Amino acid sequence: SSAYTLVAADAGKHVTTSGNTLTIPNNVFSSGDAVVIVNNSSSEITITASISNLFLGSDGSTGNKKLAGRCTATVLFTGGTHGYISGGGLSAA
């Protein structure tokens, strides 16, 4: 598919996408929830942060991210509007 938006039922699971955009919605996840994102494509995807702050683990930057092809990223939520993302092939969008 070309786009996917995470849902509460994704917590504790991995989500595989071959699309070009994955959206992290605001006020859907709770503190302690985690989701693994698997880019099943050879092309990079955009992770759109609709939450207030999506912090990149390597440098603390916020906002949208890019995930390189065939890479994975984990988002750990500290509340409905804040999350921390880490993994190989991540960069600021």
Side-chain angles (χ1 to χ4, degrees), residues 3-58:
Y4 181 74
T5 298
L6 294 177
V7 295
D10 293 327
K13 300 176 182 173
H14 76 275
V15 174
T16 302
T17 183
S18 297
N20 57 15
T21 304
L22 183 135
T23 300
I24 301 173
N26 200 33
N27 287 317
V28 169
F29 296 97
S30 300
S31 181
D33 285 346
V35 177
V36 176
I37 300 165
V38 179
N39 182 356
N40 193 35
S41 167
S42 59
S43 301
E44 76 177 13
I45 63 170
T46 299
I47 299 172
T48 302
S50 292
I51 59 176
S52 298
N53 288 296
L54 179 63
F55 298 103
L56 182 59
S58 62

